[in-house]
Amino acid sequence: MLDEKDLQAIAQLMDQKMVQQKKEIISETMVLMESYFDPKFQALSEQINPVPKEAIDILEDRVDDLEKAVELHTQQINELKKAQ
């Protein structure tokens, strides 16, 4: 008959086996997900039109201009406050 030590050893072995099986299942699931989703993401990325560099340059210039205007306006406001 099995004593307490034997039962604990069996339980420990079962726990180790379950951990191993869980890792294998996760690994296999990741492989399946990659094989399913990677082609879809690749096809999607090929359909997306990137923003042209010229448009980005124009926007960056406008942001620079706006930042300069804000600095100037802030300075003018501060001067007006001091004059009061």
Side-chain angles (χ1 to χ4, degrees), residues 12-78:
Q12 185 178 14
L13 288 173
M14 289 178 66
D15 286 344
Q16 289 173 353
K17 184 67 175 174
M18 286 176 52
V19 168
Q20 179 184 359
Q21 287 176 338
K22 182 179 178 182
K23 288 179 182 177
E24 290 173 6
I25 290 169
I26 290 172
S27 176
E28 291 171 7
T29 302
M30 293 300 295
V31 168
L32 288 172
M33 289 175 65
E34 287 175 12
S35 67
Y36 178 78
F37 287 114
D38 278 353
K40 294 185 184 308
F41 285 132
Q42 183 64 32
L44 180 63
S45 69
E46 290 170 0
Q47 292 176 359
I48 295 174
N49 296 326
V51 177
K53 173 131 176 59
E54 297 82 23
I56 292 173
D57 290 341
I58 291 169
L59 289 173
E60 287 176 345
D61 289 343
R62 292 203 57 201
V63 168
D64 289 342
D65 292 342
L66 289 170
E67 287 176 343
K68 289 175 186 173
V70 168
E71 285 179 29
L72 176 64
H73 292 160
T74 302
Q75 181 183 3
Q76 289 172 340
I77 290 169
N78 288 334

Side-chain angles (χ1 to χ4, degrees), residues 3-16:
D3 62 3
E4 185 66 28
K5 285 184 180 179
D6 293 333
L7 293 174
Q8 287 178 350
I10 291 171
Q12 185 178 14
L13 288 173
M14 289 178 66
D15 286 344
Q16 289 173 353

